[in-house]
């Protein structure tokens, strides 16, 4: 295994190909091999290598559902030239590690940085709300997840148009993606939120295509 890593790394190189080869291992699902190959570069004098290998190890551990361990490497990556994605990685790993406060702080930093950068980085603000809602749901924080869904609902109500291309251009998830988690979360909050009324209220403020879609969703929900 290690001889293979050495060949891939071409030891001594410090250009982009070093981490490119490691990311190839990641893409192939060879997480342990990628982690071992990345470790020697964690404190490299070249900041790009130090940061990229921190992100790589974090992603490998995240894919292995070792969220608490992944968090440490994602946090290390934010010590360099930070991006929206860097903060969002921290938010995701922290939340799935049940460190809700750390996750919330990182999420807010990701949102603020995205606004500062005028939405030029990924993921977009609406998609961050969606992914964050999923992470919160996965750890049983249904009320906090619902808060993110409500923000997305407000976005759909403001745009009114639910056409996929229209939403995609604006970095907004398809309505179906949001409704998938919304129904799940709303079912957990059934005593606090009237699901049918929630769907009806949203339906009144969007286009006909969206209304027809929500009508089917409401029917499915009622039948269950």
């Amino acid at each position: 295994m290690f001889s293979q890593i050495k060949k891939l790394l071409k030891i001594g190189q410090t250009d982009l190909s070093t981490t490119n080869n490691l990311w190839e291992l990641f893409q192939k699902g060879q997480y342990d091999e990628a982690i071992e190959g990345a470790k020697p570069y964690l404190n490299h004098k070249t900041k790009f290598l130090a940061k990229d290998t921190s992100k790589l190890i974090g992603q490998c551990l995240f894919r292995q559902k070792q969220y608490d361990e992944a968090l440490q490497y994602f946090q290390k990556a934010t010590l360099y030239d930070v991006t929206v994605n860097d903060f969002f990685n921290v938010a995701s790993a922290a939340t799935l590690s049940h460190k809700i406060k750390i996750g919330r702080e990182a999420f807010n930093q990701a949102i603020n940085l995205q606004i500062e950068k005028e939405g030029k980085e990924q993921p977009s603000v609406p998609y961050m709300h969606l992914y964050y809602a999923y992470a919160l749901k996965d750890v049983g924080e249904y009320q906090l997840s619902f808060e993110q869904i409500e923000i997305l609902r407000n976005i759909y109500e403001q745009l009114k148009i639910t056409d996929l291309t229209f939403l995609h251009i604006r970095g907004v998830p398809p309505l179906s993606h949001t409704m998938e988690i919304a129904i799940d979360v709303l079912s957990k909050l059934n005593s606090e939120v009237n699901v049918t009324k929630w769907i009806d209220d949203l339906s009144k403020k969007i286009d006909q295509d969206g209304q027809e879609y929500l009508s089917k969703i409401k029917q499915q929900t009622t039948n269950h």
Side-chain angles (χ1 to χ4, degrees):
M1 179 182 74
F2 294 109
S3 60
Q4 179 189 11
I5 291 170
K6 287 180 180 179
K7 288 179 182 177
L8 283 169
L9 285 177
K10 297 178 183 177
I11 298 300
Q13 259 180 248
T14 57
D15 60 11
L16 292 176
S17 65
T18 301
T19 50
N20 283 347
N21 290 327
L22 291 170
W23 281 106
E24 285 178 14
L25 290 174
F26 169 79
Q27 294 297 337
K28 293 175 182 177
Q30 296 175 251
Y31 305 128
D32 290 335
E33 291 90 336
I35 290 172
E36 287 303 317
K39 282 181 178 178
Y41 297 94
L42 280 172
N43 297 305
H44 200 277
K45 62 181 180 181
T46 303
K47 290 182 179 180
F48 168 81
L49 283 175
K51 176 180 178 176
D52 207 42
T53 49
S54 294
K55 290 179 65 174
L56 173 60
I57 293 176
Q59 288 290 356
C60 288
L61 292 167
F62 192 89
R63 288 290 183 90
Q64 294 174 313
K65 297 184 179 181
Q66 298 180 47
Y67 303 121
D68 198 41
E69 292 82 355
L71 174 59
Q72 300 172 42
Y73 290 96
F74 286 149
Q75 288 175 318
K76 181 177 173 62
T78 64
L79 300 177
Y80 302 92
D81 184 22
V82 73
T83 66
V84 170
N85 187 253
D86 292 330
F87 280 132
F88 193 71
N89 283 340
V90 172
S92 300
T95 301
L96 291 170
S97 300
H98 296 269
K99 296 178 179 177
I100 305 303
K101 183 179 179 181
I102 293 174
R104 170 68 68 143
E105 290 173 352
F107 178 76
N108 289 337
Q109 286 176 302
I111 294 289
N112 291 336
L113 185 58
Q114 185 67 287
I115 293 171
E116 182 183 319
K117 292 179 177 288
E118 300 179 341
K120 294 177 181 178
E121 293 191 10
Q122 294 295 329
S124 66
V125 170
Y127 268 101
M128 280 195 279
H129 285 298
L130 179 67
Y131 299 148
Y132 188 42
Y134 267 106
L136 289 164
K137 176 188 76 72
D138 287 347
V139 294
E141 294 287 349
Y142 302 118
Q143 187 59 54
L144 294 178
S145 180
F146 182 62
E147 290 176 9
Q148 301 305 312
I149 294 167
E150 285 282 70
I151 292 171
L152 285 164
R153 168 186 164 175
N154 186 54
I155 291 172
Y156 293 118
E157 290 179 349
Q158 289 181 346
L159 293 175
K160 302 185 184 304
I161 299 171
T162 59
D163 174 75
L164 291 177
T165 302
F166 178 87
L167 295 176
H168 176 72
I169 291 171
R170 289 158 181 78
V172 179
L175 179 59
S176 60
H177 289 191
T178 297
M179 288 306 299
E180 181 180 332
I181 182 174
I183 294 302
D184 195 2
V185 171
L186 286 167
S187 68
K188 300 294 193 302
L189 299 173
N190 196 35
S191 60
E192 301 174 42
V193 182
N194 186 308
V195 179
T196 300
K197 184 178 184 304
W198 190 89
I199 294 175
D200 286 341
D201 289 345
L202 171 57
S203 183
K204 292 173 186 176
K205 298 183 180 180
I206 57 177
D207 60 16
Q208 186 173 348
D209 288 342
Q211 290 173 3
E212 291 175 358
Y213 166 72
L214 288 181
S215 178
K216 294 177 183 177
I217 294 296
K218 186 172 74 170
Q219 187 175 3
Q220 293 171 5
T221 303
T222 303
N223 291 339
H224 283 89

